[in-house]
Amino acid sequence: MYKRQLRTPLTRLRSRLETALKAADSPARFRATAESALQELDQVVRIFDALLRIAEIETGHQRAAFAPVDLAVIATDVAEFYQPLAEQRGLALEVEASPAACVGDRMLIAQALANLVDNAIKYSPSGGHIRVSTRRQDHDVVLVVADTGPGIPIAERDKVTQRFYRLEESRGSPGSGLGLSLVVSVAKLHGGRLELDDAQ
């Protein structure tokens, strides 16, 4: 199903290695080409890691790591980790963390939130604002990442959670199109769902 998405970076990697062989007589050219090949290889590894992670989540085996957690603590930790990158991009990143206790896998929830915050930072223009918030709502817990980026067109919202799908304007930026798929899988594992909407 994913032959094309996996074949593309592997084809680029092969091409880089062939170029490196041709540049073997020039140490500088060989080094530059080898470094480029390593970057391609890293991308392939990231894709396989993400696919394996999603497969593990979807089998339900991850429930063995469920324990009491507070989304407010996770949100604060993730935001603190991304704060330097947000500042470097000229973005304000703030947290409004109200206690939101639940039972779940802390590492998976943190990874899903990290994917959302990373996307917000990547696509928000300089001078923008990102807010991470948590709250209880009746018997549920809610985790929100809101930003001042361009958002996702309504017609594309169902598609962006499909594996490897990327918006046209984001195809020139780094990424594999698996981030939101992982978020959806983590949400389902915890009996939740991912909702995409315009920031209020």
Side-chain angles (χ1 to χ4, degrees):
M1 184 184 297
Y2 306 122
K3 285 182 180 178
R4 184 176 62 82
Q5 290 87 348
L6 294 173
R7 184 178 291 142
T8 299
L10 288 172
T11 301
R12 285 199 303 260
L13 175 58
R14 179 179 174 81
S15 175
R16 296 282 194 277
L17 292 174
E18 287 177 342
T19 302
L21 286 174
K22 293 175 184 175
D25 59 333
S26 169
R29 283 174 51 215
F30 180 85
R31 180 180 180 84
T33 306
E35 288 176 350
S36 178
L38 284 173
Q39 291 176 357
E40 293 288 352
L41 182 58
D42 287 343
Q43 173 67 3
V44 172
V45 170
R46 282 193 292 270
I47 289 173
F48 277 103
D49 282 348
L51 286 172
L52 288 172
R53 186 83 169 185
I54 292 170
E56 288 175 355
I57 294 168
E58 290 180 343
T59 61
H61 293 164
Q62 295 288 338
R63 286 195 179 90
F66 273 29
V69 296
D70 188 344
L71 295 186
V73 175
I74 296 175
T76 300
D77 289 346
V78 171
E80 184 177 296
F81 178 82
Y82 276 95
Q83 191 71 48
L85 179 59
E87 290 177 359
Q88 181 183 336
R89 298 284 182 88
L91 300 167
L93 172 58
E94 68 172 12
V95 182
E96 296 176 0
S98 298
C102 63
V103 175
D105 185 316
R106 187 187 192 288
M107 294 300 294
L108 287 180
I109 295 171
Q111 178 64 65
L113 176 58
N115 286 4
L116 294 173
V117 173
D118 188 73
N119 276 356
I121 291 174
K122 189 183 299 182
Y123 298 112
S124 293
S126 180
H129 181 267
I130 299 168
R131 185 180 75 256
V132 180
S133 61
T134 61
R135 69 178 189 274
R136 289 207 65 86
Q137 184 171 299
D138 299 325
H139 299 294
D140 298 323
V141 290
V142 180
L143 176 58
V144 177
V145 177
D147 62 65
T148 51
I152 300 171
I154 293 175
E156 303 266 25
R157 288 179 186 168
D158 286 337
K159 298 176 183 176
V160 293
T161 58
Q162 297 172 11
R163 293 174 199 178
F164 294 111
Y165 187 86
R166 304 190 73 197
L167 294 175
E168 188 64 38
E169 55 269 27
S170 68
R171 288 181 183 167
S173 60
S176 62
L178 291 170
L180 290 180
S181 294
L182 188 140
V183 174
V184 169
S185 294
V186 171
K188 286 182 178 177
L189 181 70
H190 290 82
R193 64 185 183 277
L194 171 66
E195 293 184 359
L196 301 172
D197 203 350
D198 293 329
Q200 302 298 316

